[in-house]
Amino acid sequence: MIANPLQAFYGWQQNYGDLVSFRLAARQFYLFSHPKLVEQALIRQSDVFVKTYNPEKPTGLALILGQGLVTSQGDLWQRQRRLMQPVFQRSNVTTLLPQMATAGNNMLARWRQLGEGAQVNLSGEMMRLTLEVITQTMFSTSVLDKIEQIAPSLEILLRYAAKTIANPLTLPLYVPTPANRKFKQALEIIDNVIYGMIDQRRTAPSGQNDLLDMLLKARDDNNGEKMTDRQVRDEVITIFSAGHETTANLLSWTLYLLVRHPGALARLREELDRLLQGKIPNAADLQQLVYTRAVLSESMRLRPPASFLLRKVSKDTEVDDYFLKAGRLAIFSIFNLHHHADFWPQPEQFDPERFLVSQNRRYSFIPFGTGERICIGSHFALMESQLLLCMIIQHCDLQLLDPDEVEIEMAITLRPKGGIPACINWR
């Protein structure tokens, strides 16, 4: 389990079924791997299966995000969700396409300067690209000058957060172990970047009316108080980290899968050449790119950037006639759902065409979660991914430098272990 949680979860579902109980030291878990069970728990009993945030003993993402939108609950979550929802509505997201395209063009220009046949790590390049998109669109700033500090720091934070979930014997942060010291140093680097953005905006308001402006202007419905810097920080770091990490992994895996499946790549190029003829797509164009969306959907099915959801059972309950005890943790494996043989014929095969057929995939395909806590940024992420994938595929002919299959690594998100070394040629 600790060595390879993804493989463990998948193996347990194959061997023991769709609802598995297991223990790690003093912690008892339930592993959910069937759409029917997901519906019964996360939809019909959303008040029972709750977020695990404990301010006194935070674990997982809460160690990084504090009480941001991903980790908070109750009235605070409701208020913050209401505040931030307008920013991520489809109509608003389409106005951000030019900024996304600028980030894509800048990356392609930098690649051209490297010369024909240049070698890059696609995983690192996509992290850099999506970080620029999220900071430019949400916070009207750029952090590329600090990328050499930010990228490794985020990696340290996510690995540590994943370890606290998988390993119940992780020592508390106040114990000065080498891992704990590294985590604190990495968090300080990210906090300095985030608080620097907040301080800069407080002293010199930008008039951009971006997400950061909305957070700083927001007032409590009951007492009229503004958010503290800590509250703003928690929301900014949530969007900052969750908003680029998952999309970067989606783009990395999609490019990797396309290069390994020339037939799918050829069909994608045919659609792009026919409908776009070399231009950057606008919002209307993106709606017409049906196969492009199918490629991204199949990539999210095969390699879901967020591979599981974690909840706490708040009171004794039953799911599908199984008795579940209060206080235990429930893991909803998105990876297992997306590979369930009852719903996905030949689940290990990359086949975008399965998404060209109309089919009821309710709860068997949940790359952005489900229920009231479905990812607020799903429209943003899909539009960004589609646009950037179009731009890269139209101009670049990528070749993988390692013929072996890239190993999957689970560090909260599913990432390519060791990155994806590739060679860039131009069309």
Side-chain angles (χ1 to χ4, degrees):
M1 161 69 195
I2 290 170
N4 193 334
L6 190 75
Q7 206 57 46
F9 292 163
Y10 194 37
W12 294 348
Q13 188 259 333
Q14 305 291 305
N15 294 326
Y16 305 118
D18 294 322
L19 184 53
V20 178
S21 176
F22 67 95
R23 182 185 293 277
L24 288 176
R27 286 190 203 160
Q28 188 80 31
F29 292 83
Y30 300 114
L31 177 66
F32 287 71
S33 302
H34 194 284
K36 177 177 67 173
L37 302 175
V38 169
E39 181 180 15
Q40 288 186 29
L42 292 180
I43 306 300
R44 298 182 188 172
Q45 299 189 64
S46 59
D47 58 328
V48 176
F49 291 83
V50 299
K51 281 286 185 174
T52 59
Y53 184 75
N54 177 352
E56 293 175 10
K57 292 171 65 178
T59 57
L61 281 175
L63 286 164
I64 309 166
L65 308 182
Q67 293 197 71
L69 200 59
V70 169
T71 49
S72 60
Q73 52 195 316
D75 292 341
L76 174 62
W77 177 80
Q78 294 277 5
R79 189 191 76 185
Q80 299 299 85
R81 178 89 182 196
R82 275 198 313 272
L83 167 69
M84 295 166 72
Q85 189 78 50
V87 179
F88 292 99
Q89 284 175 349
R90 193 187 299 271
S91 56
N92 273 355
V93 169
T94 56
T95 66
L96 301 173
L97 277 172
Q99 288 152 279
M100 296 177 184
T102 298
N105 274 329
N106 289 343
M107 182 193 73
L108 291 173
R110 184 168 52 80
W111 282 5
R112 283 191 186 276
Q113 288 178 349
L114 297 175
E116 185 78 14
Q119 296 182 7
V120 296
N121 177 353
L122 284 180
S123 182
E125 291 291 324
M126 294 306 105
M127 286 287 181
R128 178 186 178 117
L129 173 60
T130 57
L131 187 61
E132 180 67 355
V133 168
I134 203 73
T135 53
Q136 287 282 10
T137 54
M138 294 294 109
F139 314 122
S140 304
T141 189
S142 174
V143 293
L144 285 185
D145 59 323
K146 306 181 186 76
I147 193 74
E148 302 306 326
Q149 284 184 300
I150 291 171
S153 296
L154 284 172
E155 186 163 340
I156 289 167
L157 296 179
L158 288 169
R159 285 182 190 279
Y160 186 95
K163 190 179 76 170
T164 65
I165 297 170
N167 186 354
L169 303 179
T170 305
L171 291 170
L173 271 173
Y174 60 76
V175 181
T177 64
N180 285 356
R181 285 201 299 271
K182 273 181 74 175
F183 175 87
K184 286 182 172 180
Q185 288 165 0
L187 190 60
E188 185 179 3
I189 287 169
I190 300 300
D191 273 347
N192 287 340
V193 172
I194 301 296
Y195 280 120
M197 288 162 52
I198 295 170
D199 290 344
Q200 185 180 31
R201 188 64 60 88
R202 283 205 192 278
T203 31
S206 69
Q208 296 282 352
N209 203 30
D210 55 15
L211 178 62
L212 185 51
D213 267 357
M214 292 184 73
L215 292 171
L216 291 172
K217 291 173 184 173
R219 293 183 179 274
D220 189 283
D221 293 339
N222 298 320
N223 56 28
E225 288 183 2
K226 288 189 174 183
M227 293 166 65
T228 64
D229 275 4
R230 175 68 198 196
Q231 288 172 310
V232 175
R233 174 261 181 213
D234 288 352
E235 298 301 350
V236 169
I237 201 171
T238 296
I239 300 300
F240 180 83
S241 50
H244 94 277
E245 170 86 14
T246 49
T247 308
N249 286 327
L250 169 55
L251 283 168
S252 298
W253 285 121
T254 304
L255 292 170
Y256 168 77
L257 291 166
L258 283 168
V259 176
R260 286 180 66 92
H261 296 83
L265 178 57
R267 180 162 180 186
L268 174 61
R269 283 213 166 115
E270 186 279 324
E271 178 179 80
L272 298 181
D273 290 346
R274 175 167 43 86
L275 295 176
L276 299 180
Q277 298 176 355
K279 72 170 184 173
I280 296 173
N282 57 31
D285 294 326
L286 293 178
Q287 291 296 313
Q288 303 300 314
L289 298 172
V290 178
Y291 190 73
T292 309
R293 287 203 303 277
V295 165
L296 287 165
S297 293
E298 177 67 347
S299 176
M300 287 189 288
R301 184 197 68 79
L302 202 58
R303 300 284 188 268
S307 62
F308 68 93
L309 304 171
L310 186 67
R311 298 289 187 270
K312 185 176 181 179
V313 184
S314 63
K315 64 180 181 182
D316 290 353
T317 189
E318 284 189 12
V319 172
D320 202 36
D321 296 329
Y322 289 97
F323 175 72
L324 307 184
K325 289 196 70 173
R328 295 183 175 176
L329 295 174
I331 297 173
F332 297 87
S333 175
I334 296 175
F335 186 91
N336 286 4
L337 290 168
H338 288 190
H339 289 75
H340 201 300
D342 290 352
F343 303 92
W344 305 99
Q346 296 178 291
E348 297 303 322
Q349 185 175 322
F350 178 70
D351 180 16
E353 294 195 22
R354 69 175 94 227
F355 281 93
L356 299 178
V357 180
S358 181
Q359 192 175 323
N360 180 12
R361 298 192 177 86
R362 206 172 183 200
Y363 309 119
S364 63
F365 182 64
I366 55 167
F368 295 101
T370 189
E372 65 175 6
R373 297 197 69 125
I374 193 168
C375 174
I376 195 173
S378 58
H379 293 320
F380 182 96
L382 285 173
M383 193 167 287
E384 175 191 4
S385 302
Q386 200 178 359
L387 172 72
L388 297 173
L389 180 64
C390 290
M391 294 177 70
I392 295 168
I393 295 299
Q394 281 187 103
H395 296 286
C396 299
D397 186 16
L398 301 170
Q399 293 177 306
L400 299 177
L401 294 175
D402 187 347
D404 294 335
E405 189 167 344
V406 171
E407 193 178 336
I408 305 171
E409 180 180 33
M410 191 170 98
I412 302 293
T413 59
L414 281 199
R415 51 173 59 192
K417 188 172 184 180
I420 305 174
C423 173
I424 306 169
N425 295 304
W426 297 92
R427 293 185 73 202

